[in-house]
């Protein structure tokens, strides 16, 4: 038997691992987006694309007077370059100078009618005379040569008027080589461009590991490092899932093994019991990967965390099989019925519109199916009973006698528990903050918040989004949407106006200088009255004139080589279907939601808001799962009815999981635990798997000790998920632990009371 078991285990493992080798894992929560919800999927795809911007921000904060943040950041540049992260090449003086050249060359296209109106107020003779008087005073300071140069090129400061609408780096900071420095001198930031996307966790992990090492070194030199970007969240989600698996599965195997040993006290029996466990884990992984290959979607990492729960359930198969063999009986009928009800419940998840739920359904069905197959393939030879009677036998016999004598009392207790937990259902509420489903550390969110507050970010929580088959088409649609809402041009519209808007601004420029054709004469008079030569300002006067229409337009490529290019990349970029223009809105919370309500239905663009996205994802998954519950219930009832063909035992087995759902969610309501889309999965687990105890209790003559141990191992499998750090896995663990316990207690109280009196145990064969 040992040899056969080992061969079966090896075959299962090899087949499953061959499939899992082609798996793609993803920590992105867009796996929770119903495929049929096009607007929601569009918004999630947009924010996912924004998160895929290949930027990593590293801040150095001085904590010691003798610390040198420049040296620390330079060390990071050297350390991370071989790992694919490089400083942005446009943060230097050359980049700033290029920015000013672009603006100066395109003044007619950058200045709006409002800008020109504000300029006109300072073009009277008196205003010009005062401007030149102030300029002359500054020119007398020998260290202010930059003012003289700027005044010669643009005496009316039209370039500065354009630049005031967008900064060329973090707000309040000055460029310092590859870095930016705050005026306090205590904070410097490094912007790194990364060669690979954030979802490439395999390359992201060594990058983040190197940063952690640099942070430890920097701390010893009086410098505190912070870093932020999508790379950190992807890597920390992956690390959290991995650490959860390492913490839960070994502990679960140890605890389950100890419990089972107290029942069977045989190494041969232990091997047979754990063969389905091996089959369930590799089978579940193989099922997830097959689902991924069929659908073309990556496997959600959070679903992998459910493996520990499947493991704890699969061990029941081996437990019942071994105890039956020790007593000279086979439990094929009960195991098959348990699997059929489980499969019926989880196959319903295949009809879900949520990819992650489809994946979970595939994992459970294939995992437990492989566990059942492993149990059946093991040669059924007689396994000798333990030499000493297990303590579980005495506990089981006492429990069985008590349940048989107190049938009415058990039903009364079940009724009281139902009445006590019902009010808790009205206290349930759903968690709508999408951040609570993320497995990143609290430190990651704290660092992100500090960096955003201090340095700003090209990202935002609210955008006007528009698509087009060209950059100009997308820009025009975004600008038209802003106009529909009565909003002026935003950052994107000022950086790259669409071609039609550029033409309108040139026309306004020409009208303006036609009206002020006497400006050169007025300016010359103001110069002479202040002792200045008009000829010194010839470059300015050459720029202030009517322009022809044959001019090069402003395009995204115009900003290449300037700091503006980095800010523009996430706002105007290409996706699989064309170009996306994202015009940031300085709104959040209710103000953003109110603006979304105001947007006309025929607008060429739409509004994306992170807070609204999180709420809609939770609502969509909640609605999807709720719509599947009647199907799950019907599937389990149909399978049970067809298999049993008698109403009394069918009710005795179906009623406990139904009561367990009321108890479990009522208890969570009384505890104040918020529901998540994942905690709703307890419905499927309780209906499909929690029914197993009722199935074996209904058999009457079946060993109560095996039922008790099977429930305990199942509980250990779900309870170990409570040690997980990933909130999705932890939430699933809470709901499953409460739900599976409720299902077992309900089965003890209801099934024996409704079943016919148990027959005397059959003698061993």
């Amino acid at each position: 038997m040992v040899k056969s078991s080992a061969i079966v285990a090896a075959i299962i493992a090899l087949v499953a691992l061959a499939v899992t080798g082609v798996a793609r894992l993803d920590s992105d929560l867009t796996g929770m987006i119903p495929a049929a919800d096009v607007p929601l999927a569009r918004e999630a795809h947009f924010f996912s694309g924004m998160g895929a911007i290949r930027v990593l921000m590293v801040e150095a904060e001085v904590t010691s007077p003798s610390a040198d943040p420049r040296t620390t950041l330079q060390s990071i540049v050297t350390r991370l370059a071989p790992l694919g992260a490089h400083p942005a090449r446009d943060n230097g003086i050359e980049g700033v100078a290029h920015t000013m050249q672009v603006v100066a060359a395109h003044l007619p296209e950058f200045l709006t009618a409002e800008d020109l109106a504000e300029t006109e107020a300072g073009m009277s003779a008196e205003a010009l005379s005062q401007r030149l008087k102030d300029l002359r005073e500054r020119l007398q300071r020998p260290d202010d040569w930059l003012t003289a140069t700027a005044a010669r090129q643009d005496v009316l400061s039209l370039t500065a008027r354009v630049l005031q609408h967008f900064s060329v780096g973090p707000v309040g900071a000055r460029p310092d080589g590859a870095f930016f420095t705050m005026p306090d001198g205590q904070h410097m930031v490094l912007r790194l461009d990364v060669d690979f996307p954030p979802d490439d966790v395999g390359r992201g992990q060594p990058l983040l590991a190197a940063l952690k090492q640099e942070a430890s070194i920097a701390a010893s030199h009086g410098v505190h490092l912070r870093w932020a970007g999508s790379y950190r969240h992807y890597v920390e989600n992956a690390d959290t899932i991995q650490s959860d698996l390492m913490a839960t599965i070994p502990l679960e195997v140890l605890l389950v093994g100890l419990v089972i040993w107290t029942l069977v006290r045989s190494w041969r029996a232990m091997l047979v019991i754990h063969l389905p466990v091996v089959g369930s884990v590799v089978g579940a992984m193989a099922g997830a990967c097959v689902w991924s290959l069929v659908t073309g979607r990556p496997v959600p990492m959070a679903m992998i965390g459910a493996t520990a729960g499947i493991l704890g359930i699969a061990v029941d198969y081996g437990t019942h099989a071994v105890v039956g063999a020790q007593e000279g009986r086979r439990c094929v009928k009960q195991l098959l019925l348990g699997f059929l009800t489980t499969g019926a419940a989880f196959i319903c998840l295949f009809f879900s519109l949520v990819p992650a739920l489809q994946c979970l359904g595939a994992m459970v069905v294939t995992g437990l199916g492989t566990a059942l197959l492993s149990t059946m393939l093991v040669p059924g030879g007689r396994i000798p009973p333990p030499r000493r009677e297990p303590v579980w036998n005495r506990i089981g016999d006492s429990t069985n006698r008590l349940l048989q004598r107190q049938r009415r009392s058990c039903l009364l207790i079940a009724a009281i528990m139902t009445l006590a937990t019902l009010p808790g259902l009205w206290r349930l509420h759903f968690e709508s903050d999408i951040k609570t489903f993320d497995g990143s550390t609290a430190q990651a969110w704290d660092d992100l918040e500090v960096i955003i507050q201090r340095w700003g970010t090209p990202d935002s929580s609210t955008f006007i989004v528009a698509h087009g088959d060209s950059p100009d088409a997308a820009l025009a649609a975004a600008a038209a949407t802003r106009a529909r809402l009565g909003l002026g041009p935003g950052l994107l519209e000022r950086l790259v106006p669409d071609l039609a808007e550029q033409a309108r601004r040139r026309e306004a420029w020409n009208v303006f200088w036609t009206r002020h054709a006497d400006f050169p004469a007025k300016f010359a008079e103001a110069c002479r009255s202040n002792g200045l030569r008009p000829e010194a300002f010839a470059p300015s006067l050459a720029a202030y004139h009517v322009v022809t229409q044959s001019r090069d337009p402003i395009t995204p490529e115009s900003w290449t080589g300037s700091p503006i290019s980095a800010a523009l990349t996430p706002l105007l970029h290409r996706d699989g279907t064309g170009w996306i223009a994202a015009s940031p809105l300085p709104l959040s919370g209710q103000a953003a939601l109110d603006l979304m309500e105001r947007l006309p239905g025929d607008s060429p663009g739409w509004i994306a808001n992170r807070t609204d996205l999180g709420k809609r994802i939770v609502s969509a998954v909640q609605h999807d799962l709720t719509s599947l519950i009647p199907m799950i219930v019907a599937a389990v009832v149909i399978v049970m009815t067809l298999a049993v063909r008698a109403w009394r035992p069918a009710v005795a087995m179906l009623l406990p999981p139904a009561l367990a759902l009321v108890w479990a969610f009522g208890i969570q309501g009384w505890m104040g635990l918020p529901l998540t889309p994942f905690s709703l999965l307890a419905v499927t687990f309780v209906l499909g798997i929690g029914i197993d105890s009722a199935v074996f209790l209904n058999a009457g003559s079946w060993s109560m000790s095996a039922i008790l141990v099977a429930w305990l191992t199942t509980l250990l499998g779900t309870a170990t998920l409570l040690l997980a750090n990933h909130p999705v896995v932890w939430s699933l663990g809470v709901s499953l632990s409460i739900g599976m316990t409720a299902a077992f207690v309900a089965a003890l109280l209801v099934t024996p009371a409704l079943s016919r009196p148990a027959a005397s145990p059959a003698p061993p064969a």
Side-chain angles (χ1 to χ4, degrees):
M1 177 179 290
V2 174
K3 183 177 179 180
S4 300
S5 301
I7 293 174
V8 173
I11 293 174
I12 293 173
L14 288 175
V15 172
L17 291 176
V19 179
T20 58
V22 297
R24 292 187 301 130
L25 298 179
D26 191 7
S27 62
D28 194 346
L29 285 177
T30 53
M32 297 304 296
I33 304 298
D37 195 331
V38 176
L40 185 58
R42 175 186 65 180
E43 190 168 352
H45 175 73
F46 166 73
F47 278 115
S48 177
M50 294 293 290
I53 301 302
R54 303 181 180 189
V55 173
L56 188 62
M57 300 285 287
V58 183
E59 182 198 63
E61 180 180 8
V62 174
T63 58
S64 172
S66 60
D68 182 9
R70 178 191 296 276
T71 302
T72 297
L73 292 180
Q74 189 58 55
S75 174
I76 291 174
V77 171
T78 304
R79 177 74 180 278
L80 299 188
L83 300 176
H86 312 277
R89 298 181 178 87
D90 50 19
N91 285 347
I93 295 298
E94 297 82 0
V96 176
H98 180 65
T99 299
M100 299 184 69
Q101 291 172 3
V102 171
V103 174
H106 294 280
L107 279 176
E109 289 79 22
F110 277 119
L111 289 168
T112 65
E114 292 77 11
D115 293 329
L116 293 174
E118 293 176 4
T119 300
E120 191 170 26
M123 292 179 61
S124 64
E126 296 78 8
L128 286 174
S129 180
Q130 184 62 46
R131 174 185 287 269
L132 293 173
K133 179 181 178 181
D134 295 340
L135 176 61
R136 181 174 181 178
E137 292 177 356
R138 296 190 63 181
L139 291 176
Q140 292 174 353
R141 292 157 47 186
D143 60 335
D144 207 0
W145 60 269
L146 185 60
T147 299
T149 302
R152 291 181 64 251
Q153 301 293 329
D154 184 10
V155 70
L156 292 179
S157 301
L158 298 183
T159 301
R161 187 176 294 279
V162 174
L163 291 175
Q164 72 180 352
H165 295 299
F166 48 86
S167 59
V168 290
V171 178
R174 59 180 175 82
D176 188 358
F179 319 125
F180 281 98
T181 304
M182 276 294 179
D184 60 9
Q186 304 298 304
H187 300 90
M188 297 185 71
V189 73
L190 167 66
R191 180 186 181 277
L192 293 168
D193 291 338
V194 187
D195 295 340
F196 53 88
D199 59 0
D200 189 346
V201 177
R203 298 181 66 183
Q205 285 175 327
L207 185 69
L208 271 294
L211 264 179
K212 290 181 180 179
Q213 293 179 358
E214 289 294 323
S216 299
I217 298 172
S220 64
H221 292 89
V223 177
H224 178 67
L225 289 183
R226 297 183 182 90
W227 55 91
S230 298
Y231 294 88
R232 182 169 187 176
H233 295 286
Y234 270 90
V235 168
E236 290 193 357
N237 269 276
D239 289 345
T240 301
I241 291 293
Q242 182 179 357
S243 65
D244 287 346
L245 292 176
M246 295 300 295
T248 57
I249 291 183
L251 178 61
E252 178 186 359
V253 170
L254 175 62
L255 295 177
V256 168
L258 290 175
V259 171
I260 293 176
W261 178 258
T262 62
L263 177 67
V264 298
R265 296 181 180 273
S266 165
W267 290 112
R268 176 179 294 184
M270 290 289 288
L271 176 61
V272 174
I273 287 175
H274 282 84
L275 180 60
V277 174
V278 176
S280 70
V281 174
V282 295
M285 293 296 296
C289 296
V290 170
W291 170 85
S292 177
L293 292 174
V294 172
T295 62
R297 293 179 175 272
V299 176
M301 284 186 178
M303 293 297 98
I304 303 301
T307 304
I310 298 173
L311 185 152
I313 297 163
V315 76
D316 296 356
Y317 291 0
T319 301
H320 286 297
V322 166
V323 171
Q326 288 179 333
E327 297 180 357
R329 296 176 297 184
R330 291 182 63 82
C331 57
V332 176
K333 180 179 179 181
Q334 288 79 15
L335 289 178
L336 187 57
L337 181 58
F339 173 73
L340 288 176
T341 53
T342 301
F346 281 91
I347 283 177
C348 293
L349 294 184
F350 293 170
F351 297 94
S352 171
L353 300 176
V354 179
L357 299 184
Q358 298 173 6
C359 179
L360 180 63
M363 290 178 65
V364 174
V365 172
T366 57
L368 296 185
T370 308
L372 179 64
L373 181 62
S374 304
T375 305
M376 300 302 180
L377 288 179
V378 174
R382 181 181 175 87
I383 299 177
R387 295 180 180 178
R388 289 188 301 171
E389 183 182 17
V391 67
W392 291 105
N393 287 355
R394 295 193 296 271
I395 297 175
D397 291 341
S398 300
T399 303
N400 198 28
R401 287 193 297 269
L402 178 64
L403 296 178
Q404 294 295 336
R405 289 198 307 264
Q406 304 293 334
R407 293 189 172 211
R408 292 185 178 180
S409 298
C410 289
L411 291 177
L412 179 60
I413 294 173
I416 293 174
M417 291 181 64
T418 303
L419 293 175
T421 53
L422 272 175
L425 298 178
W426 280 267
R427 298 170 61 92
L428 290 172
H429 64 282
F430 272 85
E431 178 62 72
S432 59
D433 185 359
I434 198 72
K435 284 174 59 177
T436 61
F437 305 144
D438 187 275
S440 303
T441 61
Q443 188 62 51
W445 291 108
D446 292 342
D447 288 352
L448 176 63
E449 186 67 23
V450 170
I451 288 176
I452 287 178
Q453 289 181 357
R454 185 151 34 235
W455 302 97
T457 174
D459 201 353
S460 175
S461 63
T462 310
F463 296 87
I464 288 177
V465 185
H467 290 76
D469 55 7
S470 67
D472 187 68
L475 289 166
T481 304
R482 293 186 72 99
R484 292 282 187 93
L485 292 168
L487 303 173
L491 175 63
L492 178 62
E493 290 73 27
R494 291 189 179 277
L495 289 175
V496 190
D498 64 86
L499 297 180
E501 178 62 20
Q502 291 184 46
R504 286 190 291 269
R505 292 181 184 180
R506 279 195 301 269
E507 183 177 353
W509 169 277
N510 289 340
V511 170
F512 179 86
W513 288 113
T514 299
R515 188 166 65 249
H516 292 283
D518 60 342
F519 175 76
K522 289 169 55 178
F523 181 76
E525 179 61 29
C527 285
R528 286 189 288 270
S529 65
N530 284 278
L532 298 174
R533 295 184 303 107
E535 295 79 7
F537 299 93
S540 291
L541 297 178
Y544 303 155
H545 61 79
V546 174
V547 299
T548 62
Q549 298 300 311
S550 57
R551 290 171 56 87
D552 293 334
I554 306 166
T555 65
E557 290 73 23
S558 302
W559 295 109
T560 302
S562 74
I564 297 299
S565 180
L568 185 61
T569 299
L571 304 182
L572 183 64
H573 59 275
R574 185 192 295 272
D575 70 355
T577 59
W579 285 83
I580 294 179
S583 183
L585 292 172
L587 299 173
S588 60
Q590 190 59 45
L593 301 180
D594 292 342
L595 190 67
M596 296 174 72
E597 292 293 330
R598 287 174 42 203
L599 185 65
D602 59 347
S603 296
W606 48 279
I607 296 177
N609 177 262
R610 289 188 191 274
T611 302
D612 176 67
L613 174 64
K615 292 180 178 179
R616 288 169 60 197
I617 288 177
V618 173
S619 177
V621 176
Q622 173 190 351
H623 180 269
D624 184 81
L625 279 171
T626 303
S627 65
L628 288 175
I629 288 176
M631 182 189 298
I632 295 171
V633 172
V636 173
V637 171
I638 291 173
V639 168
M640 182 64 70
T641 302
L642 293 177
V644 177
R645 298 178 181 273
W647 71 268
R648 187 184 184 101
V651 172
M653 289 183 280
L654 290 172
L655 185 57
L659 292 177
L661 290 178
V662 176
W663 298 356
F665 286 109
I667 290 171
Q668 290 187 68
W670 281 117
M671 294 174 64
L673 295 175
L675 290 179
T676 70
F678 301 97
S679 62
L680 274 182
L681 289 174
V683 175
T684 309
F685 277 90
V686 171
L687 288 177
I689 299 172
I691 200 173
D692 289 356
S693 296
V695 169
F696 281 95
L697 282 168
N698 185 70
S701 61
W702 193 249
S703 172
M704 179 64 74
S705 60
I707 296 173
L708 291 172
V709 170
W711 164 74
L712 185 56
T713 54
T714 299
L715 179 62
L716 289 173
T718 58
T720 52
L721 299 181
L722 298 177
L723 301 176
N725 292 314
H726 199 289
V728 169
V729 180
W730 183 87
S731 172
L732 190 59
V734 170
S735 297
L736 287 182
S737 297
I738 297 175
M740 300 305 283
T741 301
F744 175 70
V745 173
L748 287 180
L749 295 175
V750 174
T751 302
L754 295 182
S755 301
R756 296 186 182 279
S760 301

